[in-house]
Amino acid sequence: MPTVFYQDHDVIITDDVYAVWKPDPQVYDLEGLEDLRLEHDSRPARIVLLAAGALATVGAAAALKFAEGTGQYVIIAAVLFVPPLTGRAMRVLTPVVWFLRARYAGAGVTLFTSTNAISAMRVRRGLMRAFAANAASVERLDRAGYAEAYGRLNSLL
């Protein structure tokens, strides 16, 4: 019976396979997966929002020279509140997408995609534990001499 290291409604990771059900059902053998990495997408809209916020802040600071009295307080408030509002808009309007990617049989594959960094890290951690368990079971078989015995038996047949 395989050991389950991570299970979700879309993904199951055991000590032998990584299986994903959505968008297309795929099953990957752990021994064929290599070069596992977690990447995130930086969208151009985030850069546009950051530039707009920076320009608004610089413009408000420049306008401070020309304003007098109460207008200065309004501009100072704009200088103080535009950067946090821009940061919030960047987080809300353009969420970061996390990708768990690897190479399988020589081709690049995307194993998992999520906008939630915590779930992407959990899948990665489950996969790393499965890799460790898979390697330990192979090492245990090699140390016990089973690999040599299996090779001899295979050559006789």
Side-chain angles (χ1 to χ4, degrees), residues 25-63:
Q26 296 285 332
V27 178
Y28 300 99
D29 183 24
L30 287 186
E31 292 179 5
L33 286 173
E34 50 190 37
D35 190 25
L36 183 70
R37 62 198 178 280
L38 189 62
E39 301 174 351
H40 67 279
D41 182 26
S42 60
R43 297 183 180 189
R46 294 177 71 86
I47 296 169
V48 170
L49 284 172
L50 181 64
L55 287 174
T57 304
V58 169

PDB file of all heavy atoms in Angstrom, residues 25-63:
ATOM      1  N   PRO A  25      -6.391  14.895 -16.559  1.00  0.00           N
ATOM      2  CA  PRO A  25      -5.811  13.872 -15.681  1.00  0.00           C
ATOM      3  C   PRO A  25      -4.431  13.424 -16.191  1.00  0.00           C
ATOM      4  O   PRO A  25      -4.277  13.079 -17.358  1.00  0.00           O
ATOM      5  CB  PRO A  25      -6.810  12.725 -15.753  1.00  0.00           C
ATOM      6  CG  PRO A  25      -8.073  13.328 -16.247  1.00  0.00           C
ATOM      7  CD  PRO A  25      -7.685  14.489 -17.093  1.00  0.00           C
ATOM      8  N   GLN A  26      -3.445  13.487 -15.305  1.00  0.00           N
ATOM      9  CA  GLN A  26      -2.075  13.078 -15.621  1.00  0.00           C
ATOM     10  C   GLN A  26      -1.509  12.321 -14.430  1.00  0.00           C
ATOM     11  O   GLN A  26      -1.789  12.676 -13.285  1.00  0.00           O
ATOM     12  CB  GLN A  26      -1.177  14.291 -15.890  1.00  0.00           C
ATOM     13  CG  GLN A  26      -1.552  15.116 -17.080  1.00  0.00           C
ATOM     14  CD  GLN A  26      -1.173  14.443 -18.376  1.00  0.00           C
ATOM     15  OE1 GLN A  26      -0.232  13.665 -18.442  1.00  0.00           O
ATOM     16  NE2 GLN A  26      -1.922  14.728 -19.420  1.00  0.00           N
ATOM     17  N   VAL A  27      -0.719  11.315 -14.712  1.00  0.00           N
ATOM     18  CA  VAL A  27      -0.015  10.573 -13.667  1.00  0.00           C
ATOM     19  C   VAL A  27       1.459  10.558 -14.042  1.00  0.00           C
ATOM     20  O   VAL A  27       1.824  10.162 -15.147  1.00  0.00           O
ATOM     21  CB  VAL A  27      -0.554   9.132 -13.526  1.00  0.00           C
ATOM     22  CG1 VAL A  27       0.239   8.376 -12.475  1.00  0.00           C
ATOM     23  CG2 VAL A  27      -2.026   9.153 -13.165  1.00  0.00           C
ATOM     24  N   TYR A  28       2.305  11.009 -13.104  1.00  0.00           N
ATOM     25  CA  TYR A  28       3.740  11.070 -13.333  1.00  0.00           C
ATOM     26  C   TYR A  28       4.434  10.124 -12.360  1.00  0.00           C
ATOM     27  O   TYR A  28       4.159  10.148 -11.162  1.00  0.00           O
ATOM     28  CB  TYR A  28       4.277  12.491 -13.105  1.00  0.00           C
ATOM     29  CG  TYR A  28       3.659  13.525 -14.008  1.00  0.00           C
ATOM     30  CD1 TYR A  28       2.633  14.343 -13.558  1.00  0.00           C
ATOM     31  CD2 TYR A  28       4.104  13.684 -15.313  1.00  0.00           C
ATOM     32  CE1 TYR A  28       2.070  15.298 -14.383  1.00  0.00           C
ATOM     33  CE2 TYR A  28       3.546  14.639 -16.148  1.00  0.00           C
ATOM     34  CZ  TYR A  28       2.535  15.437 -15.674  1.00  0.00           C
ATOM     35  OH  TYR A  28       1.977  16.372 -16.497  1.00  0.00           O
ATOM     36  N   ASP A  29       5.351   9.318 -12.874  1.00  0.00           N
ATOM     37  CA  ASP A  29       6.178   8.457 -12.047  1.00  0.00           C
ATOM     38  C   ASP A  29       7.247   9.330 -11.388  1.00  0.00           C
ATOM     39  O   ASP A  29       7.893  10.126 -12.064  1.00  0.00           O
ATOM     40  CB  ASP A  29       6.812   7.374 -12.909  1.00  0.00           C
ATOM     41  CG  ASP A  29       7.624   6.388 -12.102  1.00  0.00           C
ATOM     42  OD1 ASP A  29       7.350   6.242 -10.893  1.00  0.00           O
ATOM     43  OD2 ASP A  29       8.528   5.754 -12.681  1.00  0.00           O
ATOM     44  N   LEU A  30       7.447   9.182 -10.081  1.00  0.00           N
ATOM     45  CA  LEU A  30       8.394  10.044  -9.379  1.00  0.00           C
ATOM     46  C   LEU A  30       9.826   9.869  -9.878  1.00  0.00           C
ATOM     47  O   LEU A  30      10.609  10.810  -9.849  1.00  0.00           O
ATOM     48  CB  LEU A  30       8.347   9.777  -7.872  1.00  0.00           C
ATOM     49  CG  LEU A  30       7.126  10.298  -7.133  1.00  0.00           C
ATOM     50  CD1 LEU A  30       7.277  10.094  -5.649  1.00  0.00           C
ATOM     51  CD2 LEU A  30       6.860  11.744  -7.431  1.00  0.00           C
ATOM     52  N   GLU A  31      10.165   8.688 -10.335  1.00  0.00           N
ATOM     53  CA  GLU A  31      11.528   8.462 -10.806  1.00  0.00           C
ATOM     54  C   GLU A  31      11.803   9.205 -12.108  1.00  0.00           C
ATOM     55  O   GLU A  31      12.955   9.468 -12.440  1.00  0.00           O
ATOM     56  CB  GLU A  31      11.792   6.971 -10.968  1.00  0.00           C
ATOM     57  CG  GLU A  31      11.809   6.258  -9.639  1.00  0.00           C
ATOM     58  CD  GLU A  31      12.037   4.759  -9.772  1.00  0.00           C
ATOM     59  OE1 GLU A  31      12.271   4.276 -10.893  1.00  0.00           O
ATOM     60  OE2 GLU A  31      11.963   4.084  -8.748  1.00  0.00           O
ATOM     61  N   GLY A  32      10.764   9.579 -12.850  1.00  0.00           N
ATOM     62  CA  GLY A  32      10.936  10.309 -14.102  1.00  0.00           C
ATOM     63  C   GLY A  32      10.947  11.808 -13.935  1.00  0.00           C
ATOM     64  O   GLY A  32      11.328  12.538 -14.849  1.00  0.00           O
ATOM     65  N   LEU A  33      10.535  12.309 -12.766  1.00  0.00           N
ATOM     66  CA  LEU A  33      10.515  13.754 -12.518  1.00  0.00           C
ATOM     67  C   LEU A  33      11.887  14.237 -12.076  1.00  0.00           C
ATOM     68  O   LEU A  33      12.521  13.629 -11.224  1.00  0.00           O
ATOM     69  CB  LEU A  33       9.489  14.096 -11.436  1.00  0.00           C
ATOM     70  CG  LEU A  33       8.034  14.028 -11.824  1.00  0.00           C
ATOM     71  CD1 LEU A  33       7.164  14.235 -10.600  1.00  0.00           C
ATOM     72  CD2 LEU A  33       7.696  15.039 -12.886  1.00  0.00           C
ATOM     73  N   GLU A  34      12.330  15.329 -12.657  1.00  0.00           N
ATOM     74  CA  GLU A  34      13.597  15.932 -12.254  1.00  0.00           C
ATOM     75  C   GLU A  34      13.517  17.436 -12.433  1.00  0.00           C
ATOM     76  O   GLU A  34      12.598  17.949 -13.070  1.00  0.00           O
ATOM     77  CB  GLU A  34      14.757  15.345 -13.056  1.00  0.00           C
ATOM     78  CG  GLU A  34      14.548  15.334 -14.542  1.00  0.00           C
ATOM     79  CD  GLU A  34      15.598  14.540 -15.282  1.00  0.00           C
ATOM     80  OE1 GLU A  34      16.048  13.503 -14.779  1.00  0.00           O
ATOM     81  OE2 GLU A  34      15.968  14.987 -16.378  1.00  0.00           O
ATOM     82  N   ASP A  35      14.480  18.140 -11.843  1.00  0.00           N
ATOM     83  CA  ASP A  35      14.575  19.597 -11.938  1.00  0.00           C
ATOM     84  C   ASP A  35      13.294  20.273 -11.443  1.00  0.00           C
ATOM     85  O   ASP A  35      12.738  21.146 -12.105  1.00  0.00           O
ATOM     86  CB  ASP A  35      14.896  20.018 -13.381  1.00  0.00           C
ATOM     87  CG  ASP A  35      15.243  21.493 -13.494  1.00  0.00           C
ATOM     88  OD1 ASP A  35      15.700  22.064 -12.495  1.00  0.00           O
ATOM     89  OD2 ASP A  35      15.022  22.077 -14.575  1.00  0.00           O
ATOM     90  N   LEU A  36      12.852  19.888 -10.257  1.00  0.00           N
ATOM     91  CA  LEU A  36      11.646  20.463  -9.655  1.00  0.00           C
ATOM     92  C   LEU A  36      11.933  21.888  -9.199  1.00  0.00           C
ATOM     93  O   LEU A  36      12.947  22.150  -8.557  1.00  0.00           O
ATOM     94  CB  LEU A  36      11.209  19.609  -8.468  1.00  0.00           C
ATOM     95  CG  LEU A  36       9.932  20.029  -7.766  1.00  0.00           C
ATOM     96  CD1 LEU A  36       8.749  19.755  -8.671  1.00  0.00           C
ATOM     97  CD2 LEU A  36       9.787  19.292  -6.463  1.00  0.00           C
ATOM     98  N   ARG A  37      11.028  22.825  -9.549  1.00  0.00           N
ATOM     99  CA  ARG A  37      11.215  24.214  -9.151  1.00  0.00           C
ATOM    100  C   ARG A  37       9.860  24.895  -8.980  1.00  0.00           C
ATOM    101  O   ARG A  37       8.893  24.542  -9.630  1.00  0.00           O
ATOM    102  CB  ARG A  37      12.076  24.956 -10.167  1.00  0.00           C
ATOM    103  CG  ARG A  37      11.476  25.027 -11.538  1.00  0.00           C
ATOM    104  CD  ARG A  37      12.504  25.366 -12.606  1.00  0.00           C
ATOM    105  NE  ARG A  37      11.918  25.378 -13.920  1.00  0.00           N
ATOM    106  CZ  ARG A  37      11.669  24.309 -14.659  1.00  0.00           C
ATOM    107  NH1 ARG A  37      11.959  23.113 -14.203  1.00  0.00           N
ATOM    108  NH2 ARG A  37      11.138  24.417 -15.857  1.00  0.00           N
ATOM    109  N   LEU A  38       9.846  25.870  -8.090  1.00  0.00           N
ATOM    110  CA  LEU A  38       8.651  26.662  -7.831  1.00  0.00           C
ATOM    111  C   LEU A  38       8.899  28.058  -8.393  1.00  0.00           C
ATOM    112  O   LEU A  38       9.864  28.721  -8.024  1.00  0.00           O
ATOM    113  CB  LEU A  38       8.375  26.723  -6.331  1.00  0.00           C
ATOM    114  CG  LEU A  38       7.061  27.319  -5.889  1.00  0.00           C
ATOM    115  CD1 LEU A  38       5.898  26.505  -6.424  1.00  0.00           C
ATOM    116  CD2 LEU A  38       6.982  27.381  -4.382  1.00  0.00           C
ATOM    117  N   GLU A  39       8.050  28.496  -9.309  1.00  0.00           N
ATOM    118  CA  GLU A  39       8.205  29.795  -9.963  1.00  0.00           C
ATOM    119  C   GLU A  39       6.946  30.620  -9.751  1.00  0.00           C
ATOM    120  O   GLU A  39       5.881  30.078  -9.486  1.00  0.00           O
ATOM    121  CB  GLU A  39       8.431  29.610 -11.465  1.00  0.00           C
ATOM    122  CG  GLU A  39       9.640  28.792 -11.824  1.00  0.00           C
ATOM    123  CD  GLU A  39       9.736  28.507 -13.302  1.00  0.00           C
ATOM    124  OE1 GLU A  39       8.771  28.810 -14.037  1.00  0.00           O
ATOM    125  OE2 GLU A  39      10.767  27.963 -13.722  1.00  0.00           O
ATOM    126  N   HIS A  40       7.094  31.932  -9.887  1.00  0.00           N
ATOM    127  CA  HIS A  40       5.920  32.798  -9.837  1.00  0.00           C
ATOM    128  C   HIS A  40       5.904  33.700 -11.056  1.00  0.00           C
ATOM    129  O   HIS A  40       6.932  33.999 -11.647  1.00  0.00           O
ATOM    130  CB  HIS A  40       5.850  33.595  -8.536  1.00  0.00           C
ATOM    131  CG  HIS A  40       6.939  34.604  -8.380  1.00  0.00           C
ATOM    132  ND1 HIS A  40       8.199  34.280  -7.954  1.00  0.00           N
ATOM    133  CD2 HIS A  40       6.955  35.935  -8.603  1.00  0.00           C
ATOM    134  CE1 HIS A  40       8.947  35.359  -7.913  1.00  0.00           C
ATOM    135  NE2 HIS A  40       8.223  36.383  -8.301  1.00  0.00           N
ATOM    136  N   ASP A  41       4.701  34.120 -11.404  1.00  0.00           N
ATOM    137  CA  ASP A  41       4.478  34.925 -12.595  1.00  0.00           C
ATOM    138  C   ASP A  41       4.459  36.394 -12.208  1.00  0.00           C
ATOM    139  O   ASP A  41       3.725  36.792 -11.313  1.00  0.00           O
ATOM    140  CB  ASP A  41       3.149  34.511 -13.230  1.00  0.00           C
ATOM    141  CG  ASP A  41       2.856  35.270 -14.508  1.00  0.00           C
ATOM    142  OD1 ASP A  41       3.799  35.721 -15.155  1.00  0.00           O
ATOM    143  OD2 ASP A  41       1.665  35.384 -14.856  1.00  0.00           O
ATOM    144  N   SER A  42       5.276  37.177 -12.867  1.00  0.00           N
ATOM    145  CA  SER A  42       5.216  38.628 -12.658  1.00  0.00           C
ATOM    146  C   SER A  42       4.528  39.221 -13.873  1.00  0.00           C
ATOM    147  O   SER A  42       5.056  39.215 -14.974  1.00  0.00           O
ATOM    148  CB  SER A  42       6.611  39.210 -12.474  1.00  0.00           C
ATOM    149  OG  SER A  42       7.386  38.951 -13.603  1.00  0.00           O
ATOM    150  N   ARG A  43       3.355  39.710 -13.668  1.00  0.00           N
ATOM    151  CA  ARG A  43       2.537  40.226 -14.772  1.00  0.00           C
ATOM    152  C   ARG A  43       2.886  41.672 -15.087  1.00  0.00           C
ATOM    153  O   ARG A  43       3.223  42.446 -14.197  1.00  0.00           O
ATOM    154  CB  ARG A  43       1.067  40.114 -14.392  1.00  0.00           C
ATOM    155  CG  ARG A  43       0.658  38.683 -14.185  1.00  0.00           C
ATOM    156  CD  ARG A  43      -0.783  38.586 -13.877  1.00  0.00           C
ATOM    157  NE  ARG A  43      -1.137  37.193 -13.697  1.00  0.00           N
ATOM    158  CZ  ARG A  43      -2.359  36.781 -13.582  1.00  0.00           C
ATOM    159  NH1 ARG A  43      -3.352  37.621 -13.623  1.00  0.00           N
ATOM    160  NH2 ARG A  43      -2.603  35.502 -13.417  1.00  0.00           N
ATOM    161  N   PRO A  44       2.775  42.057 -16.348  1.00  0.00           N
ATOM    162  CA  PRO A  44       3.068  43.447 -16.725  1.00  0.00           C
ATOM    163  C   PRO A  44       2.130  44.449 -16.060  1.00  0.00           C
ATOM    164  O   PRO A  44       2.516  45.595 -15.839  1.00  0.00           O
ATOM    165  CB  PRO A  44       2.878  43.461 -18.238  1.00  0.00           C
ATOM    166  CG  PRO A  44       2.966  42.047 -18.669  1.00  0.00           C
ATOM    167  CD  PRO A  44       2.541  41.224 -17.496  1.00  0.00           C
ATOM    168  N   ALA A  45       0.919  44.038 -15.716  1.00  0.00           N
ATOM    169  CA  ALA A  45      -0.023  44.968 -15.075  1.00  0.00           C
ATOM    170  C   ALA A  45       0.504  45.438 -13.724  1.00  0.00           C
ATOM    171  O   ALA A  45       0.251  46.570 -13.316  1.00  0.00           O
ATOM    172  CB  ALA A  45      -1.382  44.302 -14.912  1.00  0.00           C
ATOM    173  N   ARG A  46       1.251  44.590 -13.034  1.00  0.00           N
ATOM    174  CA  ARG A  46       1.831  44.983 -11.753  1.00  0.00           C
ATOM    175  C   ARG A  46       2.836  46.119 -11.959  1.00  0.00           C
ATOM    176  O   ARG A  46       2.902  47.058 -11.173  1.00  0.00           O
ATOM    177  CB  ARG A  46       2.500  43.795 -11.077  1.00  0.00           C
ATOM    178  CG  ARG A  46       1.541  42.716 -10.674  1.00  0.00           C
ATOM    179  CD  ARG A  46       2.260  41.526 -10.081  1.00  0.00           C
ATOM    180  NE  ARG A  46       2.800  41.798  -8.775  1.00  0.00           N
ATOM    181  CZ  ARG A  46       2.128  41.686  -7.635  1.00  0.00           C
ATOM    182  NH1 ARG A  46       0.873  41.305  -7.657  1.00  0.00           N
ATOM    183  NH2 ARG A  46       2.691  41.936  -6.480  1.00  0.00           N
ATOM    184  N   ILE A  47       3.611  46.033 -13.022  1.00  0.00           N
ATOM    185  CA  ILE A  47       4.604  47.064 -13.307  1.00  0.00           C
ATOM    186  C   ILE A  47       3.907  48.371 -13.677  1.00  0.00           C
ATOM    187  O   ILE A  47       4.329  49.455 -13.260  1.00  0.00           O
ATOM    188  CB  ILE A  47       5.555  46.591 -14.428  1.00  0.00           C
ATOM    189  CG1 ILE A  47       6.342  45.369 -13.938  1.00  0.00           C
ATOM    190  CG2 ILE A  47       6.491  47.690 -14.865  1.00  0.00           C
ATOM    191  CD1 ILE A  47       7.106  44.647 -15.004  1.00  0.00           C
ATOM    192  N   VAL A  48       2.822  48.282 -14.438  1.00  0.00           N
ATOM    193  CA  VAL A  48       2.068  49.479 -14.830  1.00  0.00           C
ATOM    194  C   VAL A  48       1.475  50.155 -13.598  1.00  0.00           C
ATOM    195  O   VAL A  48       1.543  51.382 -13.452  1.00  0.00           O
ATOM    196  CB  VAL A  48       0.973  49.113 -15.854  1.00  0.00           C
ATOM    197  CG1 VAL A  48       0.023  50.269 -16.082  1.00  0.00           C
ATOM    198  CG2 VAL A  48       1.604  48.669 -17.166  1.00  0.00           C
ATOM    199  N   LEU A  49       0.890  49.359 -12.688  1.00  0.00           N
ATOM    200  CA  LEU A  49       0.320  49.939 -11.463  1.00  0.00           C
ATOM    201  C   LEU A  49       1.401  50.568 -10.590  1.00  0.00           C
ATOM    202  O   LEU A  49       1.194  51.639 -10.008  1.00  0.00           O
ATOM    203  CB  LEU A  49      -0.439  48.871 -10.676  1.00  0.00           C
ATOM    204  CG  LEU A  49      -1.799  48.482 -11.225  1.00  0.00           C
ATOM    205  CD1 LEU A  49      -2.358  47.285 -10.460  1.00  0.00           C
ATOM    206  CD2 LEU A  49      -2.763  49.644 -11.122  1.00  0.00           C
ATOM    207  N   LEU A  50       2.552  49.926 -10.506  1.00  0.00           N
ATOM    208  CA  LEU A  50       3.645  50.481  -9.720  1.00  0.00           C
ATOM    209  C   LEU A  50       4.135  51.794 -10.326  1.00  0.00           C
ATOM    210  O   LEU A  50       4.368  52.776  -9.606  1.00  0.00           O
ATOM    211  CB  LEU A  50       4.797  49.477  -9.635  1.00  0.00           C
ATOM    212  CG  LEU A  50       6.000  49.912  -8.819  1.00  0.00           C
ATOM    213  CD1 LEU A  50       5.604  50.103  -7.364  1.00  0.00           C
ATOM    214  CD2 LEU A  50       7.113  48.900  -8.941  1.00  0.00           C
ATOM    215  N   ALA A  51       4.260  51.843 -11.635  1.00  0.00           N
ATOM    216  CA  ALA A  51       4.699  53.074 -12.303  1.00  0.00           C
ATOM    217  C   ALA A  51       3.668  54.189 -12.124  1.00  0.00           C
ATOM    218  O   ALA A  51       4.040  55.355 -11.890  1.00  0.00           O
ATOM    219  CB  ALA A  51       4.935  52.802 -13.781  1.00  0.00           C
ATOM    220  N   ALA A  52       2.386  53.853 -12.223  1.00  0.00           N
ATOM    221  CA  ALA A  52       1.337  54.864 -12.039  1.00  0.00           C
ATOM    222  C   ALA A  52       1.367  55.419 -10.617  1.00  0.00           C
ATOM    223  O   ALA A  52       1.231  56.638 -10.413  1.00  0.00           O
ATOM    224  CB  ALA A  52      -0.029  54.266 -12.352  1.00  0.00           C
ATOM    225  N   GLY A  53       1.544  54.551  -9.638  1.00  0.00           N
ATOM    226  CA  GLY A  53       1.629  55.012  -8.250  1.00  0.00           C
ATOM    227  C   GLY A  53       2.846  55.879  -8.011  1.00  0.00           C
ATOM    228  O   GLY A  53       2.781  56.898  -7.315  1.00  0.00           O
ATOM    229  N   ALA A  54       3.972  55.501  -8.594  1.00  0.00           N
ATOM    230  CA  ALA A  54       5.193  56.289  -8.431  1.00  0.00           C
ATOM    231  C   ALA A  54       5.046  57.654  -9.093  1.00  0.00           C
ATOM    232  O   ALA A  54       5.455  58.674  -8.526  1.00  0.00           O
ATOM    233  CB  ALA A  54       6.380  55.523  -9.020  1.00  0.00           C
ATOM    234  N   LEU A  55       4.456  57.671 -10.287  1.00  0.00           N
ATOM    235  CA  LEU A  55       4.252  58.957 -10.966  1.00  0.00           C
ATOM    236  C   LEU A  55       3.284  59.854 -10.191  1.00  0.00           C
ATOM    237  O   LEU A  55       3.487  61.072 -10.112  1.00  0.00           O
ATOM    238  CB  LEU A  55       3.739  58.731 -12.389  1.00  0.00           C
ATOM    239  CG  LEU A  55       4.776  58.209 -13.385  1.00  0.00           C
ATOM    240  CD1 LEU A  55       4.112  57.897 -14.721  1.00  0.00           C
ATOM    241  CD2 LEU A  55       5.889  59.229 -13.563  1.00  0.00           C
ATOM    242  N   ALA A  56       2.248  59.265  -9.638  1.00  0.00           N
ATOM    243  CA  ALA A  56       1.296  60.066  -8.848  1.00  0.00           C
ATOM    244  C   ALA A  56       1.971  60.638  -7.607  1.00  0.00           C
ATOM    245  O   ALA A  56       1.743  61.804  -7.246  1.00  0.00           O
ATOM    246  CB  ALA A  56       0.100  59.207  -8.454  1.00  0.00           C
ATOM    247  N   THR A  57       2.814  59.864  -6.963  1.00  0.00           N
ATOM    248  CA  THR A  57       3.518  60.345  -5.771  1.00  0.00           C
ATOM    249  C   THR A  57       4.501  61.451  -6.118  1.00  0.00           C
ATOM    250  O   THR A  57       4.563  62.486  -5.441  1.00  0.00           O
ATOM    251  CB  THR A  57       4.250  59.174  -5.084  1.00  0.00           C
ATOM    252  OG1 THR A  57       3.307  58.154  -4.782  1.00  0.00           O
ATOM    253  CG2 THR A  57       4.920  59.611  -3.810  1.00  0.00           C
ATOM    254  N   VAL A  58       5.273  61.258  -7.178  1.00  0.00           N
ATOM    255  CA  VAL A  58       6.240  62.277  -7.600  1.00  0.00           C
ATOM    256  C   VAL A  58       5.508  63.539  -8.055  1.00  0.00           C
ATOM    257  O   VAL A  58       5.930  64.660  -7.735  1.00  0.00           O
ATOM    258  CB  VAL A  58       7.153  61.723  -8.724  1.00  0.00           C
ATOM    259  CG1 VAL A  58       7.980  62.818  -9.366  1.00  0.00           C
ATOM    260  CG2 VAL A  58       8.050  60.638  -8.167  1.00  0.00           C
ATOM    261  N   GLY A  59       4.408  63.364  -8.776  1.00  0.00           N
ATOM    262  CA  GLY A  59       3.631  64.528  -9.223  1.00  0.00           C
ATOM    263  C   GLY A  59       3.051  65.302  -8.054  1.00  0.00           C
ATOM    264  O   GLY A  59       3.059  66.544  -8.055  1.00  0.00           O
ATOM    265  N   ALA A  60       2.565  64.582  -7.044  1.00  0.00           N
ATOM    266  CA  ALA A  60       2.020  65.270  -5.865  1.00  0.00           C
ATOM    267  C   ALA A  60       3.127  65.991  -5.103  1.00  0.00           C
ATOM    268  O   ALA A  60       2.932  67.108  -4.608  1.00  0.00           O
ATOM    269  CB  ALA A  60       1.312  64.258  -4.959  1.00  0.00           C
ATOM    270  N   ALA A  61       4.297  65.354  -5.009  1.00  0.00           N
ATOM    271  CA  ALA A  61       5.412  66.011  -4.317  1.00  0.00           C
ATOM    272  C   ALA A  61       5.862  67.252  -5.077  1.00  0.00           C
ATOM    273  O   ALA A  61       6.215  68.278  -4.470  1.00  0.00           O
ATOM    274  CB  ALA A  61       6.568  65.029  -4.156  1.00  0.00           C
ATOM    275  N   ALA A  62       5.857  67.200  -6.415  1.00  0.00           N
ATOM    276  CA  ALA A  62       6.239  68.376  -7.213  1.00  0.00           C
ATOM    277  C   ALA A  62       5.201  69.483  -7.085  1.00  0.00           C
ATOM    278  O   ALA A  62       5.546  70.673  -7.086  1.00  0.00           O
ATOM    279  CB  ALA A  62       6.416  67.975  -8.672  1.00  0.00           C
ATOM    280  N   ALA A  63       3.933  69.116  -6.979  1.00  0.00           N
ATOM    281  CA  ALA A  63       2.860  70.108  -6.863  1.00  0.00           C
ATOM    282  C   ALA A  63       2.877  70.796  -5.507  1.00  0.00           C
ATOM    283  O   ALA A  63       2.267  71.861  -5.341  1.00  0.00           O
ATOM    284  CB  ALA A  63       1.509  69.440  -7.095  1.00  0.00           C
TER     285      ALA A  63
END
